Amino acid sequence: MAYTPHVALLATGDEIKNGDILNTNSQVIAERLFSQGILPGSHIIVGDNIDEIKTAIQFLLKSHQALIITGGLGPTSDDITRDALASALDKKLVFDETSWEFIIQRLKNFGYDTPPASNKRQAFFPEGSTIIPNPNGTAAGCSVDVNNQWIFMLPGPPPECLPMFHDVVMPLLIKQGFQKTFYHQKWLLFGVSEGEVAETLDAIAKPYDCTTGYRICYPYIECKIYSNNKNDFLNIVAKINDAVTDYIIDDGKLTASEKLKQLLPTLSFNIRICDQATGGMLESTILTPETYHKLSFTSDRTKADVTITGLKEFWNHEQSNNTTLEITTQNQTFSKKIPLRGIRAKLYALEWVSKFILNHVIR
């Protein structure tokens, strides 16, 4: 199943390439594109090297109808994205007087009577560009239409980049026909392996015009389905719901601990918990300013509505494939073997306890 046209994302900066900071711009932009029916394409990160940036631009434009570049628009010597873009498009850099006047005024507002000469380079853009104003900084962006391929150049700081993307780039992409109608749904599954669920759901999806996808977010498996065929989408969603019903929490969008935190403030009673297994992880996760008046933790098992023990193999660092978690209520004790995969055993225990409380205490 093909969705076109795709929008590529290119993030520049040694600080991203070397791992000093996270590339949050691309993650947010991709999510917002996808939520509006615009399919993101390839993501690339490059350092502050003009040849590297130029090569990445030319490579991405071979297979995408649009490109969003972030970073490298500051006033310093390593801010060379505008130079690389002009070179990649074989265009001159042209000075924009309006942008320079805006920079002067903004810097004067911050106490610079004479703006540093280095800031003047921020007023240069590839020939034929349309300027994208930056209300939150000195680095304006731009858009360039080259043979019906749209290239956008945005600054790197998220408080500057993301508003410009939201206010200018997204509306322009929609206006230019990048937005397509397609259908998608996700499920969070708990208590099933990735291989097991993929085998089942891929078999269900095979006759339909749909694409499946999977992601581990331990101890959950996120399953996704995409289609631009509404009838096929509705048919396969109904069949998947039947196949995964035993593994979903609520509607399959929230984890058990998230759902528990959501419901606790609405209860007409309090829950007292004695946790002797998760090392405080349960308390730190579900005890919040919104839930504390319906929830209390105690070390006295005789005063608890729910007592959690076990994970002995985990805490004793034993060589084992599984560890046992036990939950005791006023009426009975429940045992659950969970995978012993290092610290992730506590994550599994946290979600299993949360699911137990939802099903057996709150109902």
Side-chain angles (χ1 to χ4, degrees):
M1 180 184 57
Y3 296 110
T4 57
H6 293 234
V7 180
L9 302 178
L10 173 61
T12 71
D14 287 344
E15 67 278 12
I16 297 176
K17 187 181 75 169
N18 296 336
D20 294 330
I21 63 172
L22 293 175
N23 176 25
T24 57
N25 282 333
S26 291
Q27 185 269 327
V28 173
I29 290 172
E31 187 277 330
R32 293 183 183 175
L33 288 172
F34 187 78
S35 70
Q36 293 298 312
I38 301 174
L39 195 69
S42 299
H43 295 219
I44 290 181
I45 295 173
V46 295
D48 295 313
N49 179 283
I50 191 167
D51 292 330
E52 200 175 342
I53 299 171
K54 176 181 176 180
T55 298
I57 291 170
Q58 293 174 333
F59 171 78
L60 290 169
L61 290 177
K62 289 179 181 179
S63 55
H64 297 79
Q65 285 299 111
L67 168 62
I68 300 173
I69 308 169
T70 57
L73 300 186
T76 58
S77 60
D78 60 344
D79 291 309
I80 52 176
T81 297
R82 66 185 72 251
D83 306 272
L85 177 58
S87 179
L89 301 179
D90 195 22
K91 291 179 176 289
K92 298 178 181 178
L93 282 173
V94 178
F95 180 72
D96 181 68
E97 184 66 37
T98 301
S99 296
W100 177 232
E101 290 174 0
F102 175 83
I103 292 169
I104 292 173
Q105 186 58 53
R106 184 173 179 83
L107 292 175
K108 282 184 176 180
N109 291 342
F110 284 96
Y112 291 91
D113 292 332
T114 303
S118 60
N119 282 98
K120 195 166 187 176
R121 68 194 315 274
Q122 293 182 293
F124 282 87
F125 302 90
E127 186 178 18
S129 296
T130 298
I131 308 303
I132 301 176
N134 180 359
N136 301 306
T138 58
C142 71
S143 63
V144 189
D145 177 9
V146 180
N147 300 323
N148 293 320
Q149 283 184 299
W150 285 89
I151 302 108
F152 303 91
M153 188 172 67
L154 302 175
E160 301 177 32
C161 171
L162 298 179
M164 296 165 70
F165 166 78
H166 180 270
D167 294 339
V168 178
V169 177
M170 179 71 85
L172 197 154
L173 288 172
I174 292 173
K175 181 179 179 181
Q176 293 300 320
F178 283 77
Q179 188 178 45
K180 305 297 178 181
T181 299
F182 67 98
Y183 308 91
H184 55 95
Q185 185 162 325
K186 298 178 182 179
W187 295 263
L188 275 178
L189 308 184
F190 180 59
V192 63
S193 71
E194 184 181 26
E196 181 182 356
V197 72
E199 185 176 301
T200 300
L201 300 194
D202 287 348
I204 293 174
K206 190 173 182 180
Y208 297 98
D209 180 22
C210 296
T211 298
T212 54
Y214 307 92
R215 179 177 69 92
I216 295 178
C217 39
Y218 197 84
Y220 291 86
I221 305 295
E222 182 185 77
C223 303
K224 298 165 280 190
I225 189 79
Y226 316 104
S227 180
N228 53 8
N229 184 315
K230 185 176 181 179
N231 288 333
D232 278 10
F233 176 78
L234 293 177
N235 283 329
I236 194 173
V237 165
K239 292 185 176 183
I240 289 177
N241 279 331
D242 289 340
V244 303
T245 185
D246 292 338
Y247 307 113
I248 63 175
I249 310 296
D250 192 47
D251 59 0
K253 296 178 181 178
L254 297 177
T255 66
S257 57
E258 289 169 341
K259 184 64 179 178
L260 181 57
K261 285 190 290 184
Q262 184 184 84
L263 286 182
L264 280 169
T266 69
L267 298 182
S268 59
F269 57 91
N270 294 350
I271 302 175
R272 294 164 298 180
I273 298 174
C274 176
D275 177 14
Q276 299 178 347
T278 75
M281 179 176 282
L282 178 66
E283 181 175 1
S284 65
T285 300
I286 67 173
L287 190 63
T288 70
E290 293 73 32
T291 65
Y292 80 94
H293 62 292
K294 296 295 182 180
L295 193 65
S296 61
F297 283 80
T298 176
S299 59
D300 188 346
R301 299 176 62 166
T302 65
K303 295 181 179 180
D305 301 303
V306 178
T307 298
I308 308 158
T309 56
L311 300 191
K312 178 177 69 70
E313 295 85 354
F314 167 76
W315 292 110
N316 292 339
H317 305 288
E318 295 181 15
Q319 296 297 316
S320 175
N321 293 325
N322 299 289
T323 185
T324 301
L325 182 72
E326 291 189 345
I327 299 181
T328 302
T329 64
Q330 294 176 348
N331 300 319
Q332 55 188 319
T333 297
F334 300 81
S335 295
K336 173 69 176 178
K337 283 191 177 296
I338 64 176
L340 183 52
R341 298 177 179 173
I343 194 67
R344 292 187 293 177
K346 290 205 299 180
L347 292 173
Y348 199 112
L350 163 67
E351 294 302 324
W352 194 77
V353 170
S354 299
K355 181 180 178 182
F356 176 90
I357 294 173
L358 288 170
N359 292 341
H360 297 277
V361 179
I362 295 177
R363 303 176 203 236

